[in-house]
Amino acid sequence: MRKYNDGSFFFTFHFTFPLFFFTFAFMKLKFFINYHAEWGQQLCVALSYVSRDDTQRHQRLPMQTEDGLLWVVETSAVESRQHPLESICYHYQVEDQDGRVLRQEWTLVPRSFHFDTSKSYVFRDQWKDRPLNYHLYTDACRLTAGYKTCGNVKPLRLPLYRRTIMFRVSAPQLKQGQVLALVGSHPAIGAWSAARYLPMEYVGQGEWMLTVNVDAIPMPVEYKYVVVDEKTRELIAWEEGDNRVIMENSMSDGMVTVAHGDQLRLAEQTWRAAGVVIPVFSLRSEHSYGVGDFGDLKRMVDWAVVTGMKMIQLLPVNDTTTDGHWHDSHPYNIVSAFALHPHYLDLEAVGVLKDKQRMTVYRRRKRELNALPQSDYEAVDRVKHDYIEELFAQQGDETIKTRDYQLWVEENNEWLEPYAKGSALVCFIQYHLHLQLKAAADYARQKGVVLKGDLPIGLSRKSTEVATHPDYFNLDCCAGTPPDSFNPMGNNWGFPTYNWESKEMMLWQQRRLQWFSQYFDALRIDHVLGFFRIWEIPAHAVYGQLGHFSPALPLTAEEIEYFGLSFRRELFTKPFINEQVLTRLFGVHANYVKENFLVQKSYGLYDMKGEYGTQQKVRAAFEGRNDENSRWICQGLYRLIANVLFLEDERQKDMYHPRIAVYQEPVYNALSAEEKDAFMRIYNNYYYERHNFFWGDGAIRKLSTLLGETKMLICAEDLGMLPACVSPVLDQLRILTLEVQSMPKQIGQEFAYLNSNPYRSVCTISTHDMSPLRLWWQESPERTQRYYVTMLQKEGRAPEQLPAHMAEEIIARHLYSPSMICLLSLQDWLSMDAELRAKNPKGERINVPSDPYNRWQWRMHLTIEQLLDASHFNNKVKTMLVRSKRY
């Protein structure tokens, strides 16, 4: 056998013993598909032959077209007695002239068929994108809405005839107790009688199949799929639309025509759900040690069941530990993509110390920690570490010897070994964290509740992955956000950006997603814009002003001049500093700054001294100087260094990015009126037009490859400055958007109209980066008044403090919105009960993004046990969910 570069095979046989020793069977396969390809693109079939002994042979079949629309390819399969073939599995893909895959079909539901090598098969297909009702295929929807169990597609053996039509259709909208059947125009397929339908076989993943003997059926033949009650066998519904038609007029003996009908044309019942958003560290029960844990998560599931909620959304649960201090409380600064945070270990569920005196000590410390209004990260870290160390000494050896532990270590060795660095204690902790989170996830699934995880956009520079796979990251820069009205300096998150050019990067990202799927049935993609472009800040900068989007298409000097701006590299790319700028930024300290930090140039201009030439150098020089004047001067120097019109690209010489929001800086005011006009043409083109296709094309490749065959419901965090390409890409991949009424995506609006939310979205009032509803209400009376009048349609003055009944009205409006899912923070749910809600709204905020020293310490002020006992409140929530059809 010789294999060619295109993946096809040529067989030659050399026999030195009797021919009867081998038995060969040849089977013809012919594929048809309509696809409008662009110039230079090639359609191919990626085909796999699966033998009964599970060996596989892969083949790539380039297709041919005469009209640019109908693509065809024919091949012959060969099997031997040594490896009898069992089934085939295939999909279509689009390649460029160099064989790179540009696009491939959605493969969560594979085109998998059992086949008989004595037959020839004809496949008449349609291209399969993610269907509009993609959510019906996710575990989140099927778990909570009573849909038929998915399972995996089985290449089912069906009866074949002299001439066979094999019908196949996707019907994920069928509920438990419903089955699919076929009825058509010919008497052999029911003659349109509701009582003479042909039952179909379920093959998994919402797919149904049926074979029909058409030897005596004249073509064409019309048919439809129908839904049947599994118990009574009564026909429930006919599919909608025109009749389907088979027009196979020239079927030869032994031919099997596969008629894949794509989706069942029957509207599904609209799935709507509601839930609560709460970090694990914020959970509080009578059992926890000063911080929420995975045992508390199971208790929170019980509360969700009582209220009728279908989903619990968490913040990241990965380990963030570097030295056990407060800065480790940031849940997005993860040190491993796979390790779980030791704080979330339910200590006494792992084991109780045999030393009763020591247990008495720890339980006293537990009571002390639980008595605190917030979580004390450092104190919790000490107590939990000490307890688990003693417990490991007591029972660690016994655990390590178990087969389950050894198998888990072996399966997770790739990330566990570099993370644990040889520590048996660390492995012991991670093993029990896995068991507890998996137990909580399975418990939630059993109760019909979805756990929604959070995929952080980045990893800490101190992470295991940065140490073991530095090629996955751009270590010469940091990710962050550009300046905006909330934070005029921008945010520097500190972690490196991804190097998407690394060949192994996407495989690692896919392993990450698979790891999440063992615990979660829905997933929030943090800062999904990072898959389009990330705000990349050079390592020498402190804040976000000196960053630029990456990937990007920087400008050449010639392109800049094409817009009418004469390019002067020295003037436009170095800090512009003159007397006016110094007076404006430093006032009475201007002379001090000139004498100590600047060198004078000609024409009344200045430059930074070498030892203060970057923001990081300035930060180092002012380390420990906390007086007011020093802070003022330090911030002024940061801004002075950022006072440039263009940033030179660090990786592409003589290429330039317009500095973000520079039109608010002194250097812009130094331009003439004509130069300002030319610069703004450059600026608007660069930030709002130049990259749309470029970013959209890159994002759809990354995200479609990453998501692959996941059954998790994928939700995006798509807030902020959105390029025009974001919405169509998320729509094409059926990713849910995030809708926040106080952060409208429509330009010119202060508040979004809830009834304009798209169905494929998550609706919320506030996120962990925002003030909860009650705090937001009192922060800006003017804004609240406008909301009160325009959105709530009330008259008079808005109350200074948000009354419980008005909070209930706001929550109800969100529940009645068109969004598929409504997820509200626990703080916002409790805001509608005057007795249960916390007394001080200011203590309920979790994070202030502009504060690099923010402590992530909020804990619910009630215990979960108290919540479970709040029957009046729970019944109110349940009633609201029932009325809004989210129950």
Side-chain angles (χ1 to χ4, degrees):
M1 181 182 74
R2 183 182 305 159
K3 183 177 181 181
Y4 293 100
N5 290 335
D6 66 359
S8 60
F9 295 82
F10 175 74
F11 292 84
T12 57
F13 306 101
H14 304 278
F15 300 101
T16 57
F17 32 80
L19 189 61
F20 62 79
F21 186 84
F22 289 91
T23 302
F24 293 94
F26 293 83
M27 174 189 64
K28 286 186 177 180
L29 303 170
K30 195 167 186 179
F31 300 88
F32 296 84
I33 189 169
N34 285 310
Y35 187 91
H36 184 74
E38 297 179 7
W39 178 259
Q41 293 180 345
Q42 167 77 57
L43 227 66
C44 294
V45 178
L47 176 62
S48 297
Y49 299 96
V50 183
S51 300
R52 292 176 192 171
D53 58 3
D54 287 334
T55 59
Q56 294 190 25
R57 179 165 62 88
H58 305 289
Q59 191 174 9
R60 171 185 165 274
L61 303 174
M63 304 184 78
Q64 304 298 321
T65 182
E66 294 183 355
D67 60 3
L69 181 61
L70 179 62
W71 295 78
V72 184
V73 68
E74 185 173 348
T75 189
S76 295
V78 182
E79 80 164 353
S80 69
R81 191 161 58 187
Q82 282 80 358
H83 298 288
L85 297 177
E86 179 74 17
S87 63
I88 63 167
C89 186
Y90 69 96
H91 68 266
Y92 297 95
Q93 60 191 36
V94 182
E95 300 179 2
D96 64 13
Q97 294 174 326
D98 297 321
R100 291 191 294 265
V101 177
L102 303 177
R103 186 183 182 211
Q104 75 171 39
E105 285 190 301
W106 179 60
T107 56
L108 175 62
V109 181
R111 300 182 185 269
S112 181
F113 297 91
H114 184 278
F115 65 80
D116 184 335
T117 52
S118 66
K119 305 291 184 180
S120 293
Y121 289 75
V122 175
F123 299 93
R124 299 192 180 277
D125 292 323
Q126 304 171 50
W127 181 272
K128 284 173 58 179
D129 274 324
R130 281 179 173 80
L132 288 172
N133 60 1
Y134 171 66
H135 60 280
L136 297 182
Y137 293 89
T138 65
D139 289 337
C141 182
R142 308 197 75 80
L143 182 71
T144 61
Y147 287 106
K148 195 174 185 69
T149 305
C150 254
N152 293 319
V153 172
K154 305 180 295 292
L156 194 65
R157 182 192 293 269
L158 297 171
L160 301 178
Y161 311 96
R162 193 157 71 100
R163 296 185 181 93
T164 307
I165 298 288
M166 183 180 289
F167 296 93
R168 180 168 176 170
V169 69
S170 297
Q173 60 267 63
L174 296 193
K175 293 293 190 78
Q176 295 286 354
Q178 295 179 343
V179 295
L180 208 63
L182 178 144
V183 64
S185 57
H186 193 272
I189 54 174
W192 297 121
S193 169
R196 295 178 55 194
Y197 55 77
L198 301 183
M200 302 184 74
E201 295 280 351
Y202 185 61
V203 297
Q205 288 284 67
E207 298 281 293
W208 296 80
M209 293 180 67
L210 170 70
T211 53
V212 174
N213 183 357
V214 295
D215 196 26
I217 299 179
M219 296 293 169
V221 64
E222 297 184 353
Y223 67 99
K224 275 193 171 183
Y225 296 109
V226 293
V227 181
V228 175
D229 186 283
E230 189 171 21
K231 290 184 178 179
T232 66
R233 295 297 173 180
E234 291 182 4
L235 192 151
I236 300 172
W238 295 73
E239 74 168 336
E240 300 163 354
D242 296 335
N243 295 339
R244 298 176 186 260
V245 182
I246 290 287
M247 302 183 66
E248 200 67 44
N249 294 317
S250 57
M251 289 187 69
S252 58
D253 288 354
M255 182 172 168
V256 179
T257 296
V258 179
H260 198 304
D262 196 33
Q263 294 282 314
L264 177 69
R265 298 197 296 258
L266 191 65
E268 72 273 10
Q269 181 180 344
T270 302
W271 178 58
R272 290 160 61 81
V276 63
V277 182
I278 187 166
V280 174
F281 62 77
S282 298
L283 296 172
R284 182 191 293 270
S285 78
E286 296 170 0
H287 303 269
S288 48
Y289 275 71
V291 70
D293 57 44
F294 293 146
D296 291 336
L297 186 54
K298 291 176 70 173
R299 299 176 187 101
M300 198 65 181
V301 168
D302 291 334
W303 181 70
V305 172
V306 166
T307 57
M309 294 185 189
K310 303 295 186 188
M311 190 173 291
I312 299 174
Q313 178 178 314
L314 309 174
L315 266 57
V317 293
N318 300 80
D319 190 11
T320 59
T321 306
T322 57
D323 57 16
H325 293 306
W326 269 107
H327 51 248
D328 289 348
S329 67
H330 196 316
Y332 290 90
N333 195 32
I334 63 175
V335 297
S336 170
F338 304 98
L340 298 168
H341 203 300
H343 282 199
Y344 301 153
L345 193 64
D346 184 349
L347 294 179
E348 295 186 28
V350 180
V352 175
L353 297 177
K354 295 177 181 178
D355 188 327
K356 293 183 179 180
Q357 287 186 333
R358 295 298 297 158
M359 276 307 304
T360 300
V361 170
Y362 280 112
R363 284 175 175 160
R364 185 183 69 247
R365 295 170 77 180
K366 175 177 77 170
R367 289 191 297 272
E368 292 170 352
L369 290 172
N370 275 344
L372 298 174
Q374 297 170 324
S375 179
D376 186 331
Y377 187 92
E378 295 178 349
V380 166
D381 193 75
R382 289 190 296 269
V383 171
K384 288 213 161 189
H385 183 270
D386 291 347
Y387 185 100
I388 204 66
E389 264 196 340
E390 292 189 39
L391 191 65
F392 179 69
Q394 175 182 297
Q395 63 189 53
D397 288 343
E398 182 181 343
T399 300
I400 289 171
K401 292 175 183 177
T402 63
R403 183 60 180 154
D404 287 346
Y405 173 86
Q406 293 169 0
L407 282 173
W408 180 82
V409 169
E410 183 180 337
E411 291 169 358
N412 294 273
N413 188 63
E414 184 178 355
W415 66 265
L416 184 62
E417 183 178 354
Y419 167 79
K421 298 177 182 176
S423 170
L425 172 62
V426 172
C427 295
F428 175 83
I429 292 171
Q430 287 299 315
Y431 174 64
H432 282 287
L433 284 164
H434 160 71
L435 292 181
Q436 291 185 5
L437 181 53
K438 187 67 168 64
D442 291 343
Y443 183 74
R445 289 164 180 150
Q446 177 189 345
K447 297 288 187 177
V449 175
V450 172
L451 295 188
K452 181 181 176 184
D454 194 333
L455 176 69
I457 186 60
L459 282 85
S460 167
R461 287 183 177 273
K462 299 178 181 180
S463 68
T464 301
E465 284 75 15
V466 168
T468 55
H469 300 289
D471 55 308
Y472 292 2
F473 305 90
N474 298 312
L475 298 176
D476 59 347
C477 57
C478 302
T481 60
D484 57 29
S485 57
F486 298 102
N487 188 3
M489 303 290 277
N491 279 323
N492 186 336
W493 294 333
F495 52 75
T497 59
Y498 293 128
N499 174 20
W500 293 105
E501 301 301 318
S502 169
K503 293 180 179 179
E504 298 297 319
M505 160 60 70
M506 190 53 71
L507 293 175
W508 173 76
Q509 293 280 13
Q510 289 172 329
R511 290 196 298 273
R512 254 183 111 182
L513 210 70
Q514 187 176 8
W515 176 86
F516 272 96
S517 67
Q518 64 187 319
Y519 309 120
F520 304 111
D521 295 311
L523 187 68
R524 171 187 181 270
I525 299 182
D526 173 45
H527 195 66
V528 76
L529 294 181
F531 288 89
F532 293 79
R533 82 296 187 269
I534 196 81
W535 191 249
E536 195 170 75
I537 304 166
H540 59 71
V542 173
Y543 292 109
Q545 313 107 304
L546 292 175
H548 59 76
F549 288 121
S550 176
L553 301 170
L555 299 149
T556 63
E558 291 74 18
E559 285 181 287
I560 293 171
E561 295 193 341
Y562 172 81
F563 282 92
L565 182 65
S566 178
F567 185 70
R568 288 162 283 176
R569 185 179 184 279
E570 182 73 17
L571 184 64
F572 288 170
T573 64
K574 301 289 185 182
F576 177 76
I577 310 172
N578 62 13
E579 293 289 346
Q580 286 181 318
V581 172
L582 292 171
T583 301
R584 174 179 169 182
L585 292 182
F586 299 100
V588 297
H589 299 293
N591 288 331
Y592 174 80
V593 169
K594 283 191 290 186
E595 293 171 5
N596 290 276
F597 303 101
L598 306 178
V599 291
Q600 190 164 7
K601 300 194 299 184
S602 55
Y603 304 107
L605 299 178
Y606 295 85
D607 203 353
M608 301 295 299
K609 288 183 178 179
E611 60 267 37
Y612 306 109
T614 69
Q615 290 183 343
Q616 289 291 359
K617 288 181 178 179
V618 170
R619 170 186 268 184
F622 280 81
E623 190 74 32
R625 295 166 63 178
N626 298 318
D627 60 281
E628 184 178 346
N629 287 338
S630 293
R631 288 198 299 269
W632 182 9
I633 293 170
C634 181
Q635 292 296 318
L637 291 173
Y638 288 158
R639 188 173 173 187
L640 199 62
I641 292 168
N643 189 35
V644 296
L645 210 61
F646 290 93
L647 306 169
E648 187 166 6
D649 192 274
E650 297 86 359
R651 302 185 186 97
Q652 303 177 72
K653 185 175 174 58
D654 298 326
M655 304 287 281
Y656 305 93
H657 307 266
R659 209 218 84 179
I660 187 80
V662 71
Y663 50 79
Q664 299 173 341
E665 300 297 336
V667 63
Y668 177 76
N669 293 327
L671 301 176
S672 67
E674 292 79 8
E675 288 174 327
K676 288 179 179 177
D677 288 342
F679 178 80
M680 290 310 298
R681 288 196 294 272
I682 296 169
Y683 188 93
N684 290 329
N685 174 269
Y686 178 89
Y687 281 103
Y688 304 111
E689 300 173 12
R690 184 179 180 89
H691 296 96
N692 273 326
F693 176 80
F694 176 64
W695 285 337
D697 184 61
I700 205 161
R701 292 192 197 186
K702 293 171 194 169
L703 286 168
S704 58
T705 304
L706 170 66
L707 302 182
E709 300 175 7
T710 184
K711 293 182 183 179
M712 289 186 289
L713 180 68
I714 303 300
C715 310
E717 184 275 283
D718 59 331
L719 304 176
M721 189 170 73
L722 299 180
C725 59
V726 173
S727 180
V729 168
L730 298 184
D731 183 64
Q732 183 175 338
L733 296 177
R734 318 304 182 211
I735 297 174
L736 276 63
T737 61
L738 180 61
E739 306 299 326
V740 182
Q741 189 174 26
S742 60
M743 294 184 68
K745 293 173 181 174
Q746 296 79 14
I747 296 175
Q749 289 186 0
E750 184 176 19
F751 308 111
Y753 288 91
L754 294 174
N755 58 7
S756 67
N757 285 3
Y759 171 61
R760 198 180 297 116
S761 69
V762 175
C763 172
T764 193
I765 295 174
S766 62
T767 73
H768 61 269
D769 285 333
M770 300 167 60
S771 297
L773 177 59
R774 292 164 62 210
L775 180 59
W776 177 87
W777 184 274
Q778 67 184 43
E779 282 176 337
S780 172
E782 295 81 7
R783 179 188 61 196
T784 298
Q785 183 65 35
R786 293 192 296 272
Y787 179 80
Y788 184 75
V789 172
T790 60
M791 295 293 106
L792 298 184
Q793 299 175 322
K794 307 289 185 183
E795 297 180 352
R797 288 205 61 81
E800 293 183 9
Q801 306 297 324
L802 179 65
H805 73 273
M806 201 165 289
E808 181 177 341
E809 180 181 343
I810 294 171
I811 289 171
R813 287 171 181 258
H814 282 76
L815 289 173
Y816 279 94
S817 77
S819 297
M820 182 187 295
I821 301 172
C822 181
L823 292 174
L824 307 181
S825 69
L826 182 65
Q827 301 97 302
D828 288 345
W829 278 115
L830 293 176
S831 68
M832 65 180 185
D833 190 297
E835 297 299 321
L836 291 180
R837 65 187 192 180
K839 303 305 178 188
N840 179 18
K842 292 183 179 179
E844 292 187 317
R845 182 156 186 173
I846 295 176
N847 181 44
V848 180
S850 59
D851 179 6
Y853 305 105
N854 181 78
R855 295 185 175 190
W856 300 68
Q857 60 186 0
W858 176 75
R859 286 190 84 194
M860 51 192 289
H861 64 288
L862 304 171
T863 65
I864 300 173
E865 291 85 355
Q866 289 172 314
L867 265 185
L868 286 167
D869 288 339
S871 56
H872 177 75
F873 174 74
N874 295 337
N875 289 334
K876 178 190 289 188
V877 172
K878 190 172 185 178
T879 300
M880 294 174 74
L881 299 189
V882 170
R883 289 176 177 173
S884 60
K885 298 182 179 179
R886 295 187 183 275
Y887 180 71

